[in-house]
Amino acid sequence: MNRLLQIEFRKNISYPAFWVILGLHYFFLISFLLNINNLSGSFNFSSNEFQNIDISLVPVFKFPDIWQNITYLAGFFKILLGIYMVIAVTNEFQYNTIRLNLTSGLTRLEFLFSKFLVALIISLFSVFILFDLGIFVGLFKNDAVMNQDFFVKISFLGAYFLEIMFYMMLAIFLSTWLQKTGITIFMLLIYPLLIEPIIRWQIPDNIDQYFPVKAMDNLNVFPFPKYFGFPVNESVPLDSTLATIGWILIIFLLTYMLIRRKSL
Amino acid sequence: MDSVLSISGLTKHYGSVKAVQDLKLTISGGQVYGILGPNGSGKTTTLGMILGIIIPSKGRFSWFDHLPVNLAMNKVGSIIETPTFYPYLSAVQNLKIITDIKKKGSKEIENVITKVGLYERRNHSYKNYSLGMKQRLALAAAMIGDPEVLVLDEPTNGMDPQGIADIRNLIIEIASRGTTIILASHLLDEVQRTCSHVAVLDKGKKIFDGTVKDILESEEYIELAAEDMETLHQLLKEFKGIAEISRESDKFILRLSAGPTKKDLQKYLIQKGIYPTHLAVRTGSLEKKFLELLKKSQ
């Protein structure tokens, strides 16, 4: 595993797109969260009846909801992480460097696993960033000392981890399947927004909650109605958690089956 | 000699196109094995399969008596088709990825880069290299870890004459250390100068295999002339052991069959009182044999 990490470290660390895209991701994420209460007017969150909520009225950083709130908002920025994974994986096919990896002695499984590790490291780093941000901003904005409340909803950081991990695995799968950067990014964007919702259209709720994107979305649903008197999830739902973990494993396996018998 | 690679029944179809059909080959340690064939004859597909990047439709191959392909690749250095490296990395950075994969130290990188003549440009980004330089880097990559076998697919593609000569000398030097080399090429001269064995492919099928020495000997012609061409012609007709004879202006061109030697022929003529005024040996060329084989297989 150290060997695979070392190899991916070499591939990524000198790649300008790695710094640019991930840099933009954390820059947008952090500056958005730090400034959220300065934003005025209504925000159109695509969550049906609770559209048009005045974000400046929402106490985003209030204990102990802070973790649920910031990880929910951070989820919007995962598109950039997905795009980076697409570029990193499709490059291997476009430049044919996957051949170089295999003819040097890497197995296809090791190759796939090395990309999984990249997604894992990026996810862990993102969780680390959000955790630090939560502690820093939480203490600052609440004008309070750290108390037991602080960590009550910390499990939403885990949900955030699963959400971006799932999204990057989807990016790896689509990249391996389609191999071309443009079309893969397009698919990565429209699958959650269009393709899966169309498939789910006629499927009853008790089944469609286990669909991959739906399960991922259900990890952390729009939490702000709480401040306007509506009930929301107070913890990460167990079935969505298990379903998302299941989908991450299934996508890994599907990707392996795709690449195992592929001529490159 | 130990078998390094044995291939049997290897077949690859792309839809209805049969790129490689029922290929059988055995390559032993220390051989310099040339794989010849016109464009599209299946050379690259064959090499792609034995290197584990193309999945065969049928058939088997085995490296070093059934070593798994990825482990075999630790002992095999290869160049396949056009060089493929990470364009935004330098030569050294690219080779470090390979030493990591092969679990070798990065100490030898400088050594191989010097050997292929890229030392001056080692820290420049790969995307700015010329095709010849890319090809040199590919050879450097293939040499990492002092492999037991080198698989080279058109290694001098896109190189200038100096580069071609450099690479050829390097291959000969590597072969002289006992490294097995599998060389696919359509440059017959290159194969003739470097290889000990050769297989010829056409439309995915093997149409010939043997040693280069045998081919060249079977393709050896003798030029002969004397003052009295008529008597010479008569005597040559009577000599048993001439496979082929033709007249080319003022001399005869002939090829001996398997039995008699050039010495036997001379002795015979002198005994009959004919002293040749011209006697020369025209060594055969792989090119001639190759074209002949292809013509036959059409």
Side-chain angles (χ1 to χ4, degrees):
Chain A
M1 195 155 105
N2 279 345
R3 165 169 161 256
L4 299 181
L5 279 173
Q6 166 88 344
I7 293 165
E8 283 302 323
F9 178 78
R10 291 194 195 284
K11 288 180 190 172
N12 288 290
I13 210 75
S14 305
Y15 186 34
F18 174 80
W19 295 103
V20 172
I21 298 177
L22 295 188
L24 281 178
H25 171 259
Y26 296 116
F27 174 76
F28 287 149
L29 176 66
I30 293 168
S31 41
F32 177 76
L33 287 178
L34 289 182
N35 291 301
I36 190 146
N37 285 132
N38 304 329
L39 302 167
S40 57
S42 30
F43 260 69
N44 190 357
F45 291 102
S46 62
S47 197
N48 48 58
E49 69 261 41
F50 300 118
Q51 282 173 12
N52 305 325
I53 276 176
D54 188 349
I55 197 81
S56 61
L57 300 176
V58 172
V60 174
F61 300 105
K62 187 177 157 26
F63 286 131
D65 296 338
I66 179 168
W67 303 113
Q68 185 173 7
N69 296 344
I70 64 172
T71 54
Y72 174 78
L73 292 169
F76 287 99
F77 296 87
K78 66 178 178 291
I79 287 171
L80 280 167
L81 301 179
I83 287 175
Y84 180 67
M85 282 315 293
V86 170
I87 292 172
V89 178
T90 53
N91 271 354
E92 299 269 10
F93 295 104
Q94 299 288 292
Y95 301 143
N96 264 331
T97 40
I98 182 170
R99 285 186 176 180
L100 185 72
N101 287 271
L102 299 186
T103 57
S104 300
L106 219 58
T107 64
R108 285 158 202 252
L109 184 60
E110 283 173 325
F111 178 81
L112 173 59
F113 193 67
S114 69
K115 299 301 174 200
F116 173 83
L117 287 176
V118 175
L120 188 70
I121 298 288
I122 292 177
S123 299
L124 289 174
F125 182 72
S126 302
V127 168
F128 170 77
I129 291 282
L130 271 193
F131 177 72
D132 286 346
L133 195 84
I135 289 185
F136 172 73
V137 181
L139 287 177
F140 185 74
K141 297 244 174 183
N142 287 286
D143 208 12
V145 286
M146 208 185 287
N147 58 28
Q148 282 164 327
D149 259 7
F150 207 107
F151 295 110
V152 168
K153 287 192 169 182
I154 198 88
S155 61
F156 279 96
L157 274 179
Y160 173 68
F161 169 81
L162 288 179
E163 178 182 349
I164 54 177
M165 193 66 204
F166 166 81
Y167 194 68
M168 283 190 274
M169 281 310 292
L170 183 66
I172 293 172
F173 170 74
L174 292 174
S175 304
T176 309
W177 178 32
L178 300 167
Q179 298 189 2
K180 297 210 160 55
T181 316
I183 182 86
T184 309
I185 290 176
F186 179 71
M187 277 295 282
L188 184 68
L189 297 180
I190 68 160
Y191 178 77
L193 290 177
L194 212 65
I195 299 179
E196 198 187 289
I198 289 173
I199 300 171
R200 289 199 311 252
W201 193 273
Q202 295 293 344
I203 294 176
D205 276 358
N206 59 342
I207 297 172
D208 95 348
Q209 61 171 322
Y210 295 108
F211 274 63
V213 171
K214 187 80 179 171
M216 175 193 76
D217 284 344
N218 283 347
L219 287 169
N220 192 349
V221 287
F222 194 44
F224 302 138
K226 175 176 177 171
Y227 306 110
F228 301 91
F230 298 95
V232 297
N233 277 341
E234 293 293 330
S235 62
V236 183
L238 184 64
D239 50 357
S240 307
T241 305
L242 294 178
T244 306
I245 294 172
W247 280 113
I248 290 171
L249 295 175
I250 289 170
I251 290 177
F252 185 94
L253 267 166
L254 284 177
T255 313
Y256 179 58
M257 279 160 63
L258 204 60
I259 203 177
R260 193 174 63 102
R261 302 291 300 167
K262 199 173 198 130
S263 291
L264 299 159
Chain B
M1 271 288 179
D2 299 336
S3 154
V4 164
L5 173 68
S6 67
I7 298 176
S8 70
L10 202 63
T11 301
K12 179 68 185 177
H13 298 172
Y14 290 108
S16 62
V17 180
K18 290 169 177 154
V20 175
Q21 290 181 63
D22 202 20
L23 185 66
K24 187 174 160 58
L25 275 185
T26 307
I27 296 172
S28 309
Q31 289 182 346
V32 180
Y33 205 103
I35 298 179
L36 292 176
N39 294 330
S41 58
K43 302 187 295 287
T44 299
T45 307
T46 304
L47 298 186
M49 287 191 280
I50 62 173
L51 294 173
I53 56 183
I54 295 175
I55 309 286
S57 307
K58 251 193 287 181
R60 266 190 293 277
F61 63 88
S62 128
W63 284 103
F64 309 106
D65 277 324
H66 307 290
L67 198 64
V69 184
N70 70 305
L71 296 182
M73 289 305 114
N74 279 326
K75 304 196 207 180
V76 175
S78 60
I79 300 181
I80 185 137
E81 263 181 327
T82 47
T84 58
F85 290 97
Y86 295 89
Y88 50 87
L89 299 181
S90 69
V92 170
Q93 288 170 323
N94 269 297
L95 294 183
K96 276 184 176 164
I97 291 177
I98 297 174
T99 53
D100 283 345
I101 294 176
K102 294 202 168 204
K103 300 173 193 157
K104 300 280 192 307
S106 55
K107 267 178 287 177
E108 59 178 309
I109 287 177
E110 198 164 293
N111 187 19
V112 292
I113 269 185
T114 309
K115 266 195 181 155
V116 298
L118 275 182
Y119 189 77
E120 304 287 310
R121 300 285 298 268
R122 70 192 183 283
N123 290 322
H124 293 202
S125 164
Y126 175 76
K127 61 173 175 280
N128 298 326
Y129 282 12
S130 68
L131 182 54
M133 291 166 69
K134 290 176 177 176
Q135 204 59 267
R136 284 167 190 262
L137 180 59
L139 192 62
M143 283 160 44
I144 292 275
D146 204 7
E148 289 175 36
V149 183
L150 272 185
V151 177
L152 306 174
D153 185 14
E154 309 286 2
T156 55
N157 230 352
M159 283 192 166
D160 56 25
Q162 180 61 48
I164 294 176
D166 288 352
I167 296 306
R168 183 185 295 140
N169 290 336
L170 195 55
I171 293 173
I172 293 171
E173 186 209 311
I174 295 168
S176 71
R177 298 203 302 255
T179 307
T180 308
I181 297 181
I182 303 171
L183 173 70
S185 181
H186 53 241
L187 297 177
L188 297 158
D189 191 44
E190 189 169 284
V191 173
Q192 183 171 337
R193 288 189 200 202
T194 46
C195 294
S196 59
H197 292 68
V198 59
V200 180
L201 302 186
D202 185 37
K203 298 191 192 91
K205 283 186 184 151
K206 185 177 79 180
I207 55 174
F208 176 84
D209 65 348
T211 68
V212 172
K213 188 164 160 275
D214 286 346
I215 292 180
L216 296 185
E217 273 174 8
S218 73
E219 290 292 310
E220 191 176 83
Y221 286 82
I222 298 167
E223 295 178 0
L224 208 53
E227 278 165 3
D228 185 353
M229 291 295 273
E230 285 312 307
T231 319
L232 178 63
H233 192 198
Q234 202 55 42
L235 287 174
L236 289 175
K237 268 191 206 165
E238 286 163 20
F239 182 74
K240 290 191 175 44
I242 289 178
E244 224 183 296
I245 185 162
S246 63
R247 189 162 178 172
E248 201 176 85
S249 66
D250 58 344
K251 57 191 180 242
F252 291 104
I253 313 290
L254 55 96
R255 187 164 64 84
L256 294 177
S257 50
T261 62
K262 284 166 274 190
K263 196 173 149 194
D264 294 334
L265 176 65
Q266 275 195 68
K267 214 163 142 190
Y268 163 79
L269 290 175
I270 290 166
Q271 271 170 2
K272 297 284 180 183
I274 287 276
Y275 293 86
T277 53
H278 173 85
L279 192 150
V281 177
R282 240 192 232 177
T283 43
S285 75
L286 207 50
E287 185 173 329
K288 198 153 180 247
K289 177 72 176 178
F290 177 71
L291 295 174
E292 208 176 277
L293 283 165
L294 287 185
K295 213 167 164 187
K296 253 191 256 170
S297 85
Q298 297 293 317

